[in-house]
Amino acid sequence: MFNKFYVSFKNFIKDNLFTFVVLLLFAIFMNYPLDYSIYTSGGTIDVNDRVVVSGEYKSSGSLNLAYVSELKATPFTYLLSYILPSWDRISLEEYQASDNETMDDIEKRARAYLELSKQSAIKVAYDYADKDFNISNTNYEIVYVDNSIKEDIKIGDILISVNNTKINDMNTYKNAVANSKIGDYIKLELKRNNKIIERKIKVQHINGEKLTGIMVLSLYEYDTSPKIEFKFKNNENGSSGGLMLSLAIYNKLTKEDITKGLKIVGTGTIDEDGSVGEIDGVKYKLMGAVKVNADIFIAPSGDNYEECKKLIKEKKYNIKLIEAKTFKQVLDELEDINNA
């Protein structure tokens, strides 16, 4: 019995081998990764799941981060994006700040900008809530390396010293450049993967200025009272959640609940002075907010706000839109809505 089955199965495979090979090759081709991403309708994250403040006040509603659903492009999803109107193709070049950047470089920069977003949100929220915080440590992280740089300097490297002088603030680096001539080399001490390395970098004439071709972020670690803890996942990054983080932290620090039982979703960067900045993919974030039946969507002023206003009108979305210019202005708008 087994032998008959084996012979039949063997003959079946032999007779259809070409078809199987073609199907296998087609499946491999359709799943081959391309240098594109696919943007589509996003989702939301309740900030309570990412931020904990010691002794925090509870809210009756929720403040939510909006995110874009992003798929890695394959020939299948790439072709499908031409059919589905809510799918858009984003090339690798649109992510790159310089031509030689890899996806790993891009992800490292995005993680650094999440750290910048968190520190700005802490400063804004604790300032407005009149709570104590101070800088306990600073890391100077490289987030951009120009194409012209041939030395082994990478995004994610931590700047320790310049010309044997420890970096205490970015003026140390700026002064070293200012005191050098075009063509001079500056000695850098860097930390990479917890190891100290030494590199040199050439002072150049770039866009009419004397520069070295790297960009460095000053990333602060804060001691706060009350204590704050972030619980972001490894695949969550970028600066677009800054505004909502600052609003959520403030709400946890103060007795008055700014949500008043509403589901509030929003996006936008936050500067240390409370200014709100625009982001990419705002329409997908709005679509995600509508999908979860949010009451309010907060969009940065400018093109982001205008795009959302147009989409709400076209799609007849039942959602209140707030134009965000500053942290304080958004707080006032929410208070006006709650008192209406």
Side-chain angles (χ1 to χ4, degrees):
M1 182 71 178
F2 177 78
N3 287 337
K4 286 183 179 181
F5 174 79
Y6 174 75
V7 171
S8 297
F9 180 75
K10 183 177 179 181
N11 289 335
F12 174 77
I13 295 296
K14 183 177 179 181
D15 293 341
N16 295 278
L17 182 60
F18 178 77
T19 302
F20 288 146
V21 171
V22 170
L23 289 174
L24 177 62
L25 292 175
F26 180 75
I28 292 172
F29 169 74
M30 292 303 285
N31 287 281
Y32 185 80
L34 302 177
D35 285 337
Y36 284 85
S37 290
I38 307 296
Y39 274 11
T40 185
S41 174
T44 62
I45 300 171
D46 189 331
V47 181
N48 282 326
D49 296 331
R50 298 294 182 269
V51 181
V52 177
V53 174
S54 178
E56 65 187 48
Y57 290 97
K58 302 301 179 182
S59 60
S60 56
S62 64
L63 290 155
N64 302 268
L65 304 169
Y67 65 85
V68 175
S69 292
E70 186 176 345
L71 308 173
K72 182 62 182 175
T74 64
F76 176 73
T77 56
Y78 183 85
L79 293 173
L80 197 59
S81 68
Y82 282 95
I83 300 171
L84 299 177
S86 61
W87 283 28
D88 284 341
R89 299 164 302 283
I90 308 296
S91 68
L92 176 63
E93 287 76 13
E94 293 180 66
Y95 289 98
Q96 292 175 315
S98 61
D99 295 340
N100 56 359
E101 284 185 356
T102 65
M103 188 54 70
D104 183 57
D105 293 329
I106 294 167
E107 289 173 354
K108 284 181 180 178
R109 178 168 54 244
R111 285 193 291 272
Y113 275 108
L114 174 59
E115 294 305 312
L116 182 66
S117 178
K118 290 191 292 188
Q119 77 180 39
S120 297
I122 288 174
K123 185 178 188 306
V124 170
Y126 275 69
D127 270 340
Y128 273 88
D130 196 25
K131 301 296 182 180
D132 294 331
F133 67 99
N134 58 76
I135 298 171
S136 59
N137 187 42
T138 308
N139 288 315
Y140 302 95
E141 184 168 343
I142 296 174
V143 294
Y144 169 79
V145 179
D146 192 74
N147 290 330
S148 62
I149 296 177
K150 307 305 179 185
E151 292 77 14
D152 177 31
I153 297 172
K154 297 183 178 181
I155 291 173
D157 287 347
I158 304 298
L159 186 58
I160 304 297
S161 71
V162 53
N163 289 338
N164 298 317
T165 300
K166 181 177 172 57
I167 299 286
N168 292 316
D169 58 53
M170 283 311 299
N171 286 328
T172 308
Y173 190 82
K174 292 176 181 177
N175 291 336
V177 176
N179 294 328
S180 301
K181 298 177 181 178
I182 300 294
D184 286 350
Y185 281 88
I186 291 175
K187 179 182 175 183
L188 304 181
E189 186 179 42
L190 306 169
K191 183 166 71 172
R192 180 187 300 168
N193 298 326
N194 294 318
K195 293 182 179 180
I196 302 299
I197 59 175
E198 291 185 356
R199 297 291 185 266
K200 61 180 182 178
I201 191 168
K202 189 176 182 179
V203 178
Q204 307 177 64
H205 195 261
I206 301 176
N207 297 326
E209 297 184 67
K210 188 163 59 172
L211 301 168
T212 57
I214 63 173
M215 177 179 173
V216 181
L217 287 185
S218 301
L219 299 178
Y220 304 133
E221 296 174 14
Y222 284 122
D223 279 335
T224 63
S225 181
K227 296 290 185 183
I228 187 169
E229 181 183 1
F230 293 98
K231 297 183 177 182
F232 282 93
K233 297 179 181 179
N234 290 334
N235 63 340
E236 295 171 343
N237 50 50
S239 60
S240 65
L243 171 61
M244 298 309 294
L245 280 179
S246 60
L247 290 170
I249 295 169
Y250 175 83
N251 204 43
K252 290 170 179 285
L253 292 171
T254 55
K255 189 174 183 179
E256 184 179 355
D257 179 14
I258 66 175
T259 69
K260 297 296 191 294
L262 300 174
K263 178 178 280 190
I264 303 169
V265 178
T267 188
T269 65
I270 194 77
D271 289 337
E272 291 187 350
D273 65 357
S275 300
V276 178
E278 293 191 276
I279 52 85
D280 294 327
V282 70
K283 70 176 183 180
Y284 307 105
K285 296 182 177 184
L286 172 59
M287 290 160 62
V290 171
K291 189 166 59 178
V292 298
N293 298 313
D295 299 294
I296 297 173
F297 186 76
I298 304 173
S301 180
D303 290 342
N304 281 177
Y305 174 75
E306 294 301 327
E307 185 176 1
C308 288
K309 187 166 72 170
K310 180 180 177 182
L311 191 61
I312 288 172
K313 184 177 180 180
E314 287 178 354
K315 301 291 186 180
K316 296 181 172 58
Y317 288 150
N318 182 26
I319 192 169
K320 171 70 177 178
L321 180 64
I322 291 179
E323 180 179 10
K325 299 176 182 178
T326 68
F327 175 83
K328 179 63 166 59
Q329 169 258 324
V330 173
L331 280 181
D332 291 341
E333 293 256 4
L334 289 173
E335 184 176 353
D336 289 343
I337 290 171
N338 289 326
N339 291 335

